[in-house]
Amino acid sequence: MNSVHARPLFWVCLAFVAGVVLGRQIPSGFPMHASTAMAALGLSFVLLGFLRRFEKLRSPYTGMLSFGLFGLLTGHLAASALPAPPAISNCFQGPSSLYLAEVSAPVTFQADRTRMQIHLISTVELDRTFPVGVDILLTVGRMREDSLPWLPGERFLVRLTVRPLRGFSNPGGFDYVAYQAQRGIHGRAYLPDDRPLLRIRDPSAESVLGGFSPASVTATLDGFRQGARLWLKENLSADSADFYGALLLGYPLPSQWNDHLNRTGLSHLVSISGLHLGLVGIGVFWLACRALRWGATGLLQRLSDQEMARWPALLAVLFYALVSGLAIPTWRSLVMFGLFTLALLRFRLPDALSQGLRAAAALRCRHHFALQVP
C-alpha cells in the first residue's frame, strides 16, 4: 500500500482513537442513547456514500467524522461505572438476604464451576421489597445433571451473601474491578450447587420471552447453544465434549487443555474467528449453489446462482456468530465478512497490490505448468 492510500487511513484511525479517548471522559450521567444516535448518524454517512447521488460523502473527512463518532460510542460503552452504586454497597454491609434476581447474560460453563451474570432486582423481606437494580457475578460450584438450562430473562429467588469484587491492586497491573464495572458487574456471590435457585413464574417476563424481542432472541439462541453442549456431553467422552464445545460453541476449555494448546501454538483454533466463520460461509455458499442448480434451473436464466447463494451464506454466518457467543474475535470476523459481502454486491475490485500479487501467482503457476509439458 503506497503512502497516498495510507495517509487517509491513518487519519481515520486517529479520529477513532480520539473518539474513544473522548468517550471515556463522558460523565456517567450522559445518556447512552445520545451516543448511540451520534454513532448511527456516522453510519448513515458511510452508507449514503455508496449511493451515486451522494458521491460527495466519499471523502476522508466523512470517514474521520464517522469513525470519530464510532469511537465516541465505544469509549462511552467501555467507561468504568465506578464507584459501585449505593444500592449494592448497602448489600455488602449486611448478612445473607433473599433476592429476586434475573439471568441477564448467557451462562458460562467451566470445568469445575458455572458463572452466571445475574441482575438483582430487589431484596425480599416478609411483606416488603427493596429495589436493588445491580448486576453481580454468581459462581455455582456444581450444576445438577437433571436441572433445566438457565436462559437470559429467567427469574428466580435465591438467598445470597453478596461481596465486593477484589483485585490484586498491583501497580500498573490488570484492574479486575474496573473491567467488571465496564460490563456492569459490581459484586460477587458463591453457591456450592444450584439447589438454592428457586425458579419463579413471572407473567410479564414470560410475555417478553415468548414474543419477538431482543431478550427472546437471546434466550432462544442460548437455549440452542446449551442444548448442543448437553448433546455433546451425552454422546462424547468428557475431554472430547469439552474440546468440541470450545471449538464449535465458544465455551472455555479446561486449564489442562489450554496448557497443551499454548505449548503447541494451536490456541487460535478454539478462538471462533475468521477461520470458523469462513468455513461456515463457504460451506453454505457451495450447498446453496448446488441446490439452485439442481432445483431452480428456470430462475438461473435471470439471476446468477452465486449472487443468490451469498444471502444464505451471510445468514448462516450471522447465525453461527450469534450461537457461538459473539466474542471479540467473532465480532471482528463478522464485520469483515459483512464488508466482504457488501463489496461483492457493489462489484468492487481488489486494490492494486492484491491484483499484482494475484497476477504474479498466476504467472508462476503458468510457468510451472509450462515446464511440465513436454
Side-chain angles (χ1 to χ4, degrees):
M1 184 180 294
N2 54 36
S3 60
V4 177
H5 293 87
R7 197 173 301 156
L9 182 61
F10 168 77
W11 288 108
V12 166
C13 294
L14 187 62
F16 180 78
V17 173
V20 171
V21 174
L22 181 62
R24 293 183 67 89
Q25 307 302 321
I26 293 179
S28 58
F30 189 79
M32 184 63 68
H33 58 79
S35 300
T36 307
M38 288 189 288
L41 179 64
L43 179 62
S44 64
F45 287 156
V46 174
L47 296 179
L48 287 174
F50 286 97
L51 301 178
R52 191 181 301 274
R53 184 181 301 178
F54 301 96
E55 290 183 351
K56 294 183 179 180
L57 292 177
R58 301 181 192 175
S59 67
Y61 301 105
T62 304
M64 290 175 58
L65 175 62
S66 303
F67 277 81
L69 294 176
F70 290 149
L72 183 71
L73 176 61
T74 304
H76 194 188
L77 290 173
S80 300
L82 291 175
I88 194 67
S89 301
N90 297 331
C91 298
F92 296 154
Q93 302 172 1
S96 63
S97 302
L98 183 64
Y99 293 95
L100 172 63
E102 180 181 85
V103 181
S104 57
V107 178
T108 301
F109 297 94
Q110 299 180 355
D112 55 347
R113 60 187 180 271
T114 301
R115 292 286 182 89
M116 302 172 61
Q117 181 178 341
I118 64 174
H119 181 72
L120 299 180
I121 301 174
S122 61
T123 59
V124 181
E125 296 182 3
L126 297 178
D127 57 344
R128 296 182 302 172
T129 60
F130 299 93
V132 180
V134 179
D135 283 21
I136 68 168
L137 189 63
L138 175 62
T139 302
V140 182
R142 185 180 63 87
M143 284 288 188
R144 292 171 297 173
E145 297 295 336
D146 57 344
S147 61
L148 296 175
W150 290 96
L151 304 178
E154 289 193 282
R155 293 190 174 185
F156 56 92
L157 289 172
V158 62
R159 184 170 292 277
L160 296 173
T161 301
V162 181
R163 300 299 184 201
L165 295 170
R166 300 293 184 187
F168 292 104
S169 300
N170 294 327
F174 175 68
D175 194 343
Y176 177 73
V177 178
Y179 167 72
Q180 295 293 354
Q182 292 176 3
R183 303 172 57 199
I185 300 174
H186 296 280
R188 59 184 174 88
Y190 175 79
L191 291 175
D193 53 55
D194 63 338
R195 287 180 297 177
L197 302 177
L198 178 62
R199 300 175 191 263
I200 63 173
R201 297 293 181 182
D202 188 355
S204 60
E206 289 182 0
S207 63
V208 172
L209 293 177
F212 184 79
S213 64
S216 64
V217 173
T218 302
T220 302
L221 291 172
D222 194 53
F224 176 83
R225 190 185 184 201
Q226 293 190 36
R229 175 183 174 272
L230 182 60
W231 185 90
L232 292 174
K233 289 284 187 183
E234 293 176 349
N235 294 273
L236 299 176
S237 62
D239 289 340
S240 298
D242 290 336
F243 183 77
Y244 283 110
L247 183 65
L248 301 176
L249 302 174
Y251 285 113
L253 274 172
S255 57
Q256 62 272 18
W257 270 105
N258 286 325
D259 294 339
H260 294 321
L261 292 176
N262 289 334
R263 291 176 182 176
T264 56
L266 298 176
S267 301
H268 62 281
L269 291 179
V270 294
S271 176
I272 297 180
S273 56
L275 174 64
H276 303 72
L277 299 188
L279 290 175
V280 171
I282 291 174
V284 175
F285 179 82
W286 184 85
L287 291 175
C289 286
R290 295 302 180 273
L292 290 170
R293 294 173 188 176
W294 177 73
T297 54
L299 187 61
L300 295 180
Q301 297 179 0
R302 300 190 304 270
L303 297 173
S304 169
D305 58 339
Q306 296 186 4
E307 292 182 2
M308 291 185 290
R310 292 170 190 166
W311 300 107
L314 181 61
L315 292 177
V317 168
L318 177 60
F319 175 76
Y320 181 65
L322 293 174
V323 168
S324 63
L326 273 182
I328 297 298
T330 312
W331 264 112
R332 181 184 65 243
S333 303
L334 182 61
V335 170
M336 293 305 299
F337 193 91
L339 292 176
F340 173 73
T341 305
L342 182 62
L344 291 179
L345 293 175
R346 295 292 301 174
F347 300 101
R348 298 295 297 270
L349 296 176
D351 58 274
L353 178 60
S354 300
Q355 288 180 332
L357 293 176
R358 184 181 303 174
L363 289 175
R364 261 198 317 271
C365 293
R366 185 180 303 173
H367 178 68
H368 173 75
F369 284 112
L371 293 178
Q372 302 297 323
V373 176

